[in-house]
Amino acid sequence: MNKVWLITGASSGFGRAVADAALAEGDVVVGAVRRPEGLDDLVAAHPDQVEALRLDVGDTGAAEAAVRDVIARHGRIDVLVNNAGRTHVGAFEETTEQELRELFEVHVFGPAALTRAVLPHMRERRSGAIVQMSSMGGQMSFAGFS
Protein backbone atom coordinates (compact mmCIF):
# COMPACT_ATOMS: atom_id res chain seq x y z
CA MET A 1 0.00 0.00 0.00
CA ASN A 2 1.35 3.41 -0.94
CA LYS A 3 1.99 5.92 1.83
CA VAL A 4 0.32 9.29 2.23
CA TRP A 5 2.81 12.05 3.04
CA LEU A 6 1.99 15.51 4.41
CA ILE A 7 5.07 17.64 3.74
CA THR A 8 5.33 21.27 4.82
CA GLY A 9 7.56 23.49 2.72
CA ALA A 10 7.28 21.05 -0.19
CA SER A 11 7.77 23.62 -2.94
CA SER A 12 11.54 23.96 -2.59
CA GLY A 13 14.71 22.72 -0.92
CA PHE A 14 14.60 19.62 1.24
CA GLY A 15 10.79 19.57 1.23
CA ARG A 16 10.81 19.32 -2.55
CA ALA A 17 13.51 16.63 -2.45
CA VAL A 18 11.49 14.58 0.06
CA ALA A 19 8.38 14.98 -2.12
CA ASP A 20 10.31 13.83 -5.20
CA ALA A 21 11.62 10.77 -3.33
CA ALA A 22 8.14 9.84 -2.07
CA LEU A 23 6.72 10.20 -5.59
CA ALA A 24 9.48 7.99 -6.99
CA GLU A 25 8.25 5.28 -4.60
CA GLY A 26 4.69 5.67 -5.90
CA ASP A 27 3.44 7.38 -2.75
CA VAL A 28 0.91 10.20 -2.43
CA VAL A 29 2.21 13.65 -1.49
CA VAL A 30 0.17 16.46 -0.01
CA GLY A 31 2.43 19.48 -0.16
CA ALA A 32 1.50 22.03 2.49
CA VAL A 33 2.74 25.37 1.20
CA ARG A 34 1.93 29.06 1.52
CA ARG A 35 1.82 29.45 -2.26
CA PRO A 36 0.25 26.38 -3.93
CA GLU A 37 1.32 27.56 -7.39
CA GLY A 38 4.84 26.57 -6.34
CA LEU A 39 3.73 22.96 -6.78
CA ASP A 40 1.95 23.40 -10.12
CA ASP A 41 4.65 21.50 -12.00
CA LEU A 42 4.52 18.50 -9.64
CA VAL A 43 0.72 18.42 -9.67
CA ALA A 44 0.74 18.52 -13.48
CA ALA A 45 3.36 15.78 -13.72
CA HIS A 46 1.69 13.54 -11.10
CA PRO A 47 -2.00 14.50 -10.97
CA ASP A 48 -3.02 11.30 -9.17
CA GLN A 49 -0.20 11.48 -6.63
CA VAL A 50 0.29 15.14 -5.71
CA GLU A 51 -1.89 17.88 -4.38
CA ALA A 52 -1.06 21.30 -3.06
CA LEU A 53 -2.59 22.36 0.24
CA ARG A 54 -2.48 26.05 1.09
CA LEU A 55 -1.12 26.25 4.63
CA ASP A 56 0.90 28.85 6.47
CA VAL A 57 2.62 26.77 9.16
CA GLY A 58 2.86 29.90 11.29
CA ASP A 59 -0.94 29.90 11.55
CA THR A 60 -1.15 27.26 14.28
CA GLY A 61 -4.94 27.46 14.31
CA ALA A 62 -5.03 26.01 10.79
CA ALA A 63 -3.20 22.77 11.66
CA GLU A 64 -6.21 20.76 12.86
CA ALA A 65 -8.31 21.64 9.83
CA ALA A 66 -5.44 20.83 7.45
CA VAL A 67 -4.91 17.39 9.01
CA ARG A 68 -8.66 16.67 9.05
CA ASP A 69 -8.87 17.68 5.39
CA VAL A 70 -6.04 15.36 4.32
CA ILE A 71 -7.45 12.44 6.33
CA ALA A 72 -10.93 13.04 4.94
CA ARG A 73 -9.62 12.86 1.36
CA HIS A 74 -6.95 10.18 1.72
CA GLY A 75 -8.06 8.19 4.75
CA ARG A 76 -4.81 8.61 6.64
CA ILE A 77 -1.46 10.36 6.97
CA ASP A 78 1.41 7.91 7.10
CA VAL A 79 4.25 10.43 7.25
CA LEU A 80 4.23 14.02 8.49
CA VAL A 81 7.33 15.96 7.48
CA ASN A 82 7.66 19.23 9.40
CA ASN A 83 10.07 20.94 7.05
CA ALA A 84 8.79 24.49 6.44
CA GLY A 85 11.09 27.22 7.61
CA ARG A 86 12.73 30.45 6.78
CA THR A 87 15.81 32.39 7.68
CA HIS A 88 16.27 35.70 9.41
CA VAL A 89 19.19 37.93 8.61
CA GLY A 90 20.22 40.60 11.05
CA ALA A 91 21.86 41.32 14.36
CA PHE A 92 19.99 39.87 17.31
CA GLU A 93 19.76 43.17 19.15
CA GLU A 94 18.08 44.66 16.09
CA THR A 95 15.58 41.81 15.76
CA THR A 96 12.18 42.94 16.93
CA GLU A 97 10.07 40.87 19.26
CA GLN A 98 7.48 40.49 16.48
CA GLU A 99 10.11 39.11 14.08
CA LEU A 100 11.28 36.68 16.72
CA ARG A 101 7.73 35.55 17.50
CA GLU A 102 7.05 34.96 13.80
CA LEU A 103 10.16 32.76 13.57
CA PHE A 104 9.00 30.73 16.57
CA GLU A 105 5.53 30.34 15.04
CA VAL A 106 7.02 28.81 11.88
CA HIS A 107 9.84 26.80 13.46
CA VAL A 108 8.41 25.68 16.82
CA PHE A 109 4.70 26.25 17.37
CA GLY A 110 3.55 25.40 13.84
CA PRO A 111 5.29 22.01 13.72
CA ALA A 112 4.07 21.31 17.26
CA ALA A 113 0.47 22.06 16.24
CA LEU A 114 0.69 19.77 13.21
CA THR A 115 2.25 17.03 15.31
CA ARG A 116 -0.50 17.34 17.95
CA ALA A 117 -3.13 17.19 15.20
CA VAL A 118 -1.75 14.07 13.50
CA LEU A 119 -0.65 12.05 16.55
CA PRO A 120 -4.10 10.83 17.67
CA HIS A 121 -4.75 9.51 14.17
CA MET A 122 -1.39 7.74 14.02
CA ARG A 123 -1.84 6.29 17.49
CA GLU A 124 -5.29 5.01 16.57
CA ARG A 125 -3.83 3.28 13.52
CA ARG A 126 -0.71 2.23 15.48
CA SER A 127 1.30 3.38 12.51
CA GLY A 128 3.01 6.47 11.18
CA ALA A 129 6.15 8.55 11.25
CA ILE A 130 6.87 12.17 12.05
CA VAL A 131 10.01 13.75 10.62
CA GLN A 132 11.23 17.01 12.11
CA MET A 133 13.57 18.93 9.82
CA SER A 134 15.83 21.76 10.90
CA SER A 135 18.74 23.65 9.53
CA MET A 136 22.26 23.86 10.77
CA GLY A 137 21.21 27.35 11.86
CA GLY A 138 19.55 25.62 14.81
CA GLN A 139 22.95 24.33 15.91
CA MET A 140 25.31 27.14 14.95
CA SER A 141 25.32 30.58 13.44
CA PHE A 142 27.23 32.79 11.07
CA ALA A 143 27.94 36.51 11.02
CA GLY A 144 24.73 38.39 10.28
CA PHE A 145 22.43 35.45 11.09
CA SER A 146 21.23 35.69 14.67
Side-chain angles (χ1 to χ4, degrees):
M1 179 185 294
N2 295 4
K3 293 179 181 163
V4 176
W5 296 65
L6 175 58
I7 305 171
T8 66
S11 60
S12 65
F14 285 122
R16 181 62 171 249
V18 171
D20 288 338
L23 292 170
E25 292 297 315
D27 293 342
V28 171
V29 171
V30 179
V33 293
R34 287 181 297 148
R35 291 181 291 280
E37 61 274 6
L39 290 175
D40 284 352
D41 61 326
L42 272 187
V43 172
H46 307 275
D48 296 332
Q49 283 179 272
V50 181
E51 64 182 67
L53 174 67
R54 183 182 302 276
L55 178 68
D56 180 347
V57 173
D59 178 5
T60 58
E64 287 260 349
V67 167
R68 271 195 317 269
D69 179 56
V70 173
I71 292 170
R73 283 182 289 103
H74 296 282
R76 67 192 191 283
I77 295 172
D78 297 299
V79 184
L80 167 64
V81 180
N82 282 316
N83 168 72
R86 65 178 184 85
T87 191
H88 176 73
V89 179
F92 186 73
E93 65 273 18
E94 296 171 357
T95 301
T96 68
E97 185 160 335
Q98 181 62 34
E99 289 170 322
L100 190 56
R101 288 186 183 280
E102 289 170 3
L103 287 168
F104 269 74
E105 291 294 337
V106 170
H107 293 267
V108 177
F109 298 116
L114 284 164
T115 299
R116 275 195 305 271
V118 80
L119 270 176
H121 168 73
M122 288 181 172
R123 283 193 175 124
E124 181 181 307
R125 292 183 56 240
R126 301 179 64 88
S127 177
I130 298 170
V131 179
Q132 299 289 120
M133 303 286 280
S134 182
S135 73
M136 60 189 219
Q139 303 291 317
M140 58 187 293
S141 190
F142 303 96
F145 290 84
S146 297

PDB file of all heavy atoms in Angstrom, residues 54-69 105-106 108-117:
ATOM      1  N   ARG A  54      -2.896  24.727   0.609  1.00  0.00           N
ATOM      2  CA  ARG A  54      -2.477  26.049   1.090  1.00  0.00           C
ATOM      3  C   ARG A  54      -2.452  26.024   2.617  1.00  0.00           C
ATOM      4  O   ARG A  54      -3.474  25.770   3.262  1.00  0.00           O
ATOM      5  CB  ARG A  54      -3.431  27.139   0.608  1.00  0.00           C
ATOM      6  CG  ARG A  54      -2.979  28.545   1.043  1.00  0.00           C
ATOM      7  CD  ARG A  54      -3.955  29.613   0.592  1.00  0.00           C
ATOM      8  NE  ARG A  54      -4.146  29.633  -0.843  1.00  0.00           N
ATOM      9  CZ  ARG A  54      -3.360  30.265  -1.721  1.00  0.00           C
ATOM     10  NH1 ARG A  54      -2.316  30.930  -1.290  1.00  0.00           N
ATOM     11  NH2 ARG A  54      -3.616  30.221  -3.016  1.00  0.00           N
ATOM     12  N   LEU A  55      -1.264  26.245   3.185  1.00  0.00           N
ATOM     13  CA  LEU A  55      -1.119  26.254   4.635  1.00  0.00           C
ATOM     14  C   LEU A  55       0.075  27.123   5.007  1.00  0.00           C
ATOM     15  O   LEU A  55       1.177  26.902   4.526  1.00  0.00           O
ATOM     16  CB  LEU A  55      -0.900  24.836   5.173  1.00  0.00           C
ATOM     17  CG  LEU A  55      -0.679  24.725   6.686  1.00  0.00           C
ATOM     18  CD1 LEU A  55      -1.951  25.079   7.447  1.00  0.00           C
ATOM     19  CD2 LEU A  55      -0.211  23.334   7.053  1.00  0.00           C
ATOM     20  N   ASP A  56      -0.186  28.075   5.866  1.00  0.00           N
ATOM     21  CA  ASP A  56       0.896  28.849   6.472  1.00  0.00           C
ATOM     22  C   ASP A  56       1.164  28.182   7.815  1.00  0.00           C
ATOM     23  O   ASP A  56       0.334  28.228   8.716  1.00  0.00           O
ATOM     24  CB  ASP A  56       0.471  30.298   6.657  1.00  0.00           C
ATOM     25  CG  ASP A  56       1.556  31.164   7.279  1.00  0.00           C
ATOM     26  OD1 ASP A  56       2.560  30.616   7.804  1.00  0.00           O
ATOM     27  OD2 ASP A  56       1.393  32.395   7.267  1.00  0.00           O
ATOM     28  N   VAL A  57       2.294  27.515   7.941  1.00  0.00           N
ATOM     29  CA  VAL A  57       2.618  26.766   9.156  1.00  0.00           C
ATOM     30  C   VAL A  57       2.610  27.682  10.374  1.00  0.00           C
ATOM     31  O   VAL A  57       2.314  27.235  11.482  1.00  0.00           O
ATOM     32  CB  VAL A  57       3.977  26.049   8.996  1.00  0.00           C
ATOM     33  CG1 VAL A  57       4.437  25.411  10.283  1.00  0.00           C
ATOM     34  CG2 VAL A  57       3.888  25.013   7.897  1.00  0.00           C
ATOM     35  N   GLY A  58       2.890  28.954  10.180  1.00  0.00           N
ATOM     36  CA  GLY A  58       2.862  29.902  11.289  1.00  0.00           C
ATOM     37  C   GLY A  58       1.473  30.161  11.830  1.00  0.00           C
ATOM     38  O   GLY A  58       1.316  30.700  12.921  1.00  0.00           O
ATOM     39  N   ASP A  59       0.450  29.773  11.104  1.00  0.00           N
ATOM     40  CA  ASP A  59      -0.940  29.896  11.554  1.00  0.00           C
ATOM     41  C   ASP A  59      -1.307  28.603  12.275  1.00  0.00           C
ATOM     42  O   ASP A  59      -1.876  27.686  11.684  1.00  0.00           O
ATOM     43  CB  ASP A  59      -1.853  30.150  10.359  1.00  0.00           C
ATOM     44  CG  ASP A  59      -3.323  30.241  10.742  1.00  0.00           C
ATOM     45  OD1 ASP A  59      -3.654  30.194  11.948  1.00  0.00           O
ATOM     46  OD2 ASP A  59      -4.155  30.342   9.814  1.00  0.00           O
ATOM     47  N   THR A  60      -0.969  28.513  13.547  1.00  0.00           N
ATOM     48  CA  THR A  60      -1.153  27.264  14.282  1.00  0.00           C
ATOM     49  C   THR A  60      -2.617  26.842  14.360  1.00  0.00           C
ATOM     50  O   THR A  60      -2.902  25.660  14.462  1.00  0.00           O
ATOM     51  CB  THR A  60      -0.569  27.368  15.700  1.00  0.00           C
ATOM     52  OG1 THR A  60      -1.197  28.458  16.388  1.00  0.00           O
ATOM     53  CG2 THR A  60       0.936  27.571  15.651  1.00  0.00           C
ATOM     54  N   GLY A  61      -3.523  27.779  14.269  1.00  0.00           N
ATOM     55  CA  GLY A  61      -4.943  27.460  14.308  1.00  0.00           C
ATOM     56  C   GLY A  61      -5.420  26.690  13.087  1.00  0.00           C
ATOM     57  O   GLY A  61      -6.483  26.075  13.109  1.00  0.00           O
ATOM     58  N   ALA A  62      -4.633  26.693  12.020  1.00  0.00           N
ATOM     59  CA  ALA A  62      -5.030  26.007  10.789  1.00  0.00           C
ATOM     60  C   ALA A  62      -4.583  24.548  10.755  1.00  0.00           C
ATOM     61  O   ALA A  62      -5.004  23.798   9.877  1.00  0.00           O
ATOM     62  CB  ALA A  62      -4.450  26.750   9.582  1.00  0.00           C
ATOM     63  N   ALA A  63      -3.778  24.123  11.694  1.00  0.00           N
ATOM     64  CA  ALA A  63      -3.204  22.770  11.665  1.00  0.00           C
ATOM     65  C   ALA A  63      -4.269  21.686  11.738  1.00  0.00           C
ATOM     66  O   ALA A  63      -4.256  20.736  10.953  1.00  0.00           O
ATOM     67  CB  ALA A  63      -2.187  22.600  12.797  1.00  0.00           C
ATOM     68  N   GLU A  64      -5.178  21.788  12.692  1.00  0.00           N
ATOM     69  CA  GLU A  64      -6.214  20.759  12.863  1.00  0.00           C
ATOM     70  C   GLU A  64      -7.046  20.595  11.596  1.00  0.00           C
ATOM     71  O   GLU A  64      -7.292  19.481  11.151  1.00  0.00           O
ATOM     72  CB  GLU A  64      -7.141  21.121  14.028  1.00  0.00           C
ATOM     73  CG  GLU A  64      -6.520  20.943  15.373  1.00  0.00           C
ATOM     74  CD  GLU A  64      -6.932  19.653  16.033  1.00  0.00           C
ATOM     75  OE1 GLU A  64      -7.857  18.972  15.544  1.00  0.00           O
ATOM     76  OE2 GLU A  64      -6.291  19.325  17.041  1.00  0.00           O
ATOM     77  N   ALA A  65      -7.480  21.704  11.041  1.00  0.00           N
ATOM     78  CA  ALA A  65      -8.307  21.638   9.832  1.00  0.00           C
ATOM     79  C   ALA A  65      -7.530  21.036   8.669  1.00  0.00           C
ATOM     80  O   ALA A  65      -8.081  20.258   7.892  1.00  0.00           O
ATOM     81  CB  ALA A  65      -8.818  23.028   9.470  1.00  0.00           C
ATOM     82  N   ALA A  66      -6.259  21.376   8.543  1.00  0.00           N
ATOM     83  CA  ALA A  66      -5.439  20.827   7.453  1.00  0.00           C
ATOM     84  C   ALA A  66      -5.323  19.312   7.588  1.00  0.00           C
ATOM     85  O   ALA A  66      -5.505  18.577   6.610  1.00  0.00           O
ATOM     86  CB  ALA A  66      -4.060  21.475   7.451  1.00  0.00           C
ATOM     87  N   VAL A  67      -5.041  18.837   8.785  1.00  0.00           N
ATOM     88  CA  VAL A  67      -4.911  17.393   9.009  1.00  0.00           C
ATOM     89  C   VAL A  67      -6.245  16.693   8.771  1.00  0.00           C
ATOM     90  O   VAL A  67      -6.307  15.656   8.101  1.00  0.00           O
ATOM     91  CB  VAL A  67      -4.353  17.105  10.422  1.00  0.00           C
ATOM     92  CG1 VAL A  67      -4.494  15.639  10.795  1.00  0.00           C
ATOM     93  CG2 VAL A  67      -2.893  17.546  10.493  1.00  0.00           C
ATOM     94  N   ARG A  68      -7.324  17.260   9.284  1.00  0.00           N
ATOM     95  CA  ARG A  68      -8.664  16.669   9.052  1.00  0.00           C
ATOM     96  C   ARG A  68      -8.964  16.591   7.566  1.00  0.00           C
ATOM     97  O   ARG A  68      -9.508  15.588   7.085  1.00  0.00           O
ATOM     98  CB  ARG A  68      -9.739  17.500   9.754  1.00  0.00           C
ATOM     99  CG  ARG A  68     -10.007  17.094  11.172  1.00  0.00           C
ATOM    100  CD  ARG A  68     -11.308  17.668  11.712  1.00  0.00           C
ATOM    101  NE  ARG A  68     -11.542  19.062  11.374  1.00  0.00           N
ATOM    102  CZ  ARG A  68     -11.172  20.097  12.123  1.00  0.00           C
ATOM    103  NH1 ARG A  68     -10.537  19.902  13.257  1.00  0.00           N
ATOM    104  NH2 ARG A  68     -11.435  21.324  11.748  1.00  0.00           N
ATOM    105  N   ASP A  69      -8.621  17.631   6.827  1.00  0.00           N
ATOM    106  CA  ASP A  69      -8.874  17.680   5.390  1.00  0.00           C
ATOM    107  C   ASP A  69      -8.117  16.570   4.662  1.00  0.00           C
ATOM    108  O   ASP A  69      -8.684  15.862   3.825  1.00  0.00           O
ATOM    109  CB  ASP A  69      -8.463  19.053   4.853  1.00  0.00           C
ATOM    110  CG  ASP A  69      -8.682  19.185   3.361  1.00  0.00           C
ATOM    111  OD1 ASP A  69      -9.826  18.964   2.908  1.00  0.00           O
ATOM    112  OD2 ASP A  69      -7.701  19.502   2.648  1.00  0.00           O
ATOM    113  N   GLU A 105       6.793  30.894  15.560  1.00  0.00           N
ATOM    114  CA  GLU A 105       5.529  30.339  15.044  1.00  0.00           C
ATOM    115  C   GLU A 105       5.812  29.325  13.938  1.00  0.00           C
ATOM    116  O   GLU A 105       5.234  28.246  13.915  1.00  0.00           O
ATOM    117  CB  GLU A 105       4.604  31.444  14.520  1.00  0.00           C
ATOM    118  CG  GLU A 105       4.028  32.354  15.576  1.00  0.00           C
ATOM    119  CD  GLU A 105       3.067  31.656  16.527  1.00  0.00           C
ATOM    120  OE1 GLU A 105       2.488  30.610  16.183  1.00  0.00           O
ATOM    121  OE2 GLU A 105       2.882  32.182  17.640  1.00  0.00           O
ATOM    122  N   VAL A 106       6.717  29.682  13.022  1.00  0.00           N
ATOM    123  CA  VAL A 106       7.017  28.812  11.882  1.00  0.00           C
ATOM    124  C   VAL A 106       7.888  27.619  12.286  1.00  0.00           C
ATOM    125  O   VAL A 106       7.667  26.506  11.826  1.00  0.00           O
ATOM    126  CB  VAL A 106       7.711  29.611  10.746  1.00  0.00           C
ATOM    127  CG1 VAL A 106       8.240  28.689   9.658  1.00  0.00           C
ATOM    128  CG2 VAL A 106       6.746  30.629  10.164  1.00  0.00           C
ATOM    129  N   VAL A 108       8.682  26.425  15.583  1.00  0.00           N
ATOM    130  CA  VAL A 108       8.408  25.680  16.818  1.00  0.00           C
ATOM    131  C   VAL A 108       6.914  25.396  16.965  1.00  0.00           C
ATOM    132  O   VAL A 108       6.488  24.241  17.006  1.00  0.00           O
ATOM    133  CB  VAL A 108       8.933  26.434  18.066  1.00  0.00           C
ATOM    134  CG1 VAL A 108       8.588  25.684  19.340  1.00  0.00           C
ATOM    135  CG2 VAL A 108      10.441  26.655  17.960  1.00  0.00           C
ATOM    136  N   PHE A 109       6.115  26.438  17.065  1.00  0.00           N
ATOM    137  CA  PHE A 109       4.703  26.252  17.373  1.00  0.00           C
ATOM    138  C   PHE A 109       3.905  25.640  16.225  1.00  0.00           C
ATOM    139  O   PHE A 109       3.015  24.821  16.454  1.00  0.00           O
ATOM    140  CB  PHE A 109       4.074  27.570  17.839  1.00  0.00           C
ATOM    141  CG  PHE A 109       4.716  28.089  19.095  1.00  0.00           C
ATOM    142  CD1 PHE A 109       5.413  29.278  19.098  1.00  0.00           C
ATOM    143  CD2 PHE A 109       4.656  27.359  20.272  1.00  0.00           C
ATOM    144  CE1 PHE A 109       6.018  29.754  20.252  1.00  0.00           C
ATOM    145  CE2 PHE A 109       5.256  27.816  21.431  1.00  0.00           C
ATOM    146  CZ  PHE A 109       5.943  29.012  21.425  1.00  0.00           C
ATOM    147  N   GLY A 110       4.232  25.994  14.991  1.00  0.00           N
ATOM    148  CA  GLY A 110       3.546  25.402  13.840  1.00  0.00           C
ATOM    149  C   GLY A 110       3.781  23.908  13.733  1.00  0.00           C
ATOM    150  O   GLY A 110       2.820  23.126  13.649  1.00  0.00           O
ATOM    151  N   PRO A 111       5.039  23.457  13.744  1.00  0.00           N
ATOM    152  CA  PRO A 111       5.285  22.014  13.722  1.00  0.00           C
ATOM    153  C   PRO A 111       4.664  21.292  14.922  1.00  0.00           C
ATOM    154  O   PRO A 111       4.157  20.173  14.782  1.00  0.00           O
ATOM    155  CB  PRO A 111       6.814  21.913  13.742  1.00  0.00           C
ATOM    156  CG  PRO A 111       7.282  23.188  13.125  1.00  0.00           C
ATOM    157  CD  PRO A 111       6.288  24.223  13.580  1.00  0.00           C
ATOM    158  N   ALA A 112       4.685  21.935  16.076  1.00  0.00           N
ATOM    159  CA  ALA A 112       4.068  21.313  17.257  1.00  0.00           C
ATOM    160  C   ALA A 112       2.564  21.149  17.054  1.00  0.00           C
ATOM    161  O   ALA A 112       1.990  20.102  17.397  1.00  0.00           O
ATOM    162  CB  ALA A 112       4.352  22.157  18.506  1.00  0.00           C
ATOM    163  N   ALA A 113       1.917  22.147  16.480  1.00  0.00           N
ATOM    164  CA  ALA A 113       0.471  22.064  16.236  1.00  0.00           C
ATOM    165  C   ALA A 113       0.142  20.957  15.239  1.00  0.00           C
ATOM    166  O   ALA A 113      -0.828  20.207  15.428  1.00  0.00           O
ATOM    167  CB  ALA A 113      -0.058  23.417  15.742  1.00  0.00           C
ATOM    168  N   LEU A 114       0.927  20.834  14.181  1.00  0.00           N
ATOM    169  CA  LEU A 114       0.693  19.769  13.206  1.00  0.00           C
ATOM    170  C   LEU A 114       0.939  18.398  13.830  1.00  0.00           C
ATOM    171  O   LEU A 114       0.176  17.451  13.590  1.00  0.00           O
ATOM    172  CB  LEU A 114       1.582  19.958  11.974  1.00  0.00           C
ATOM    173  CG  LEU A 114       1.115  21.046  11.016  1.00  0.00           C
ATOM    174  CD1 LEU A 114       2.222  21.442  10.060  1.00  0.00           C
ATOM    175  CD2 LEU A 114      -0.123  20.601  10.270  1.00  0.00           C
ATOM    176  N   THR A 115       1.961  18.295  14.635  1.00  0.00           N
ATOM    177  CA  THR A 115       2.249  17.032  15.312  1.00  0.00           C
ATOM    178  C   THR A 115       1.113  16.656  16.251  1.00  0.00           C
ATOM    179  O   THR A 115       0.658  15.505  16.256  1.00  0.00           O
ATOM    180  CB  THR A 115       3.591  17.131  16.075  1.00  0.00           C
ATOM    181  OG1 THR A 115       4.632  17.405  15.125  1.00  0.00           O
ATOM    182  CG2 THR A 115       3.902  15.846  16.815  1.00  0.00           C
ATOM    183  N   ARG A 116       0.642  17.611  17.046  1.00  0.00           N
ATOM    184  CA  ARG A 116      -0.500  17.340  17.946  1.00  0.00           C
ATOM    185  C   ARG A 116      -1.734  16.921  17.159  1.00  0.00           C
ATOM    186  O   ARG A 116      -2.502  16.068  17.609  1.00  0.00           O
ATOM    187  CB  ARG A 116      -0.820  18.576  18.782  1.00  0.00           C
ATOM    188  CG  ARG A 116       0.002  18.702  20.037  1.00  0.00           C
ATOM    189  CD  ARG A 116      -0.589  19.723  21.005  1.00  0.00           C
ATOM    190  NE  ARG A 116      -0.790  21.026  20.403  1.00  0.00           N
ATOM    191  CZ  ARG A 116       0.110  21.996  20.373  1.00  0.00           C
ATOM    192  NH1 ARG A 116       1.295  21.822  20.899  1.00  0.00           N
ATOM    193  NH2 ARG A 116      -0.174  23.143  19.807  1.00  0.00           N
ATOM    194  N   ALA A 117      -1.940  17.513  15.997  1.00  0.00           N
ATOM    195  CA  ALA A 117      -3.131  17.194  15.199  1.00  0.00           C
ATOM    196  C   ALA A 117      -3.058  15.797  14.595  1.00  0.00           C
ATOM    197  O   ALA A 117      -4.062  15.105  14.487  1.00  0.00           O
ATOM    198  CB  ALA A 117      -3.311  18.239  14.094  1.00  0.00           C
TER     199      ALA A 117
END
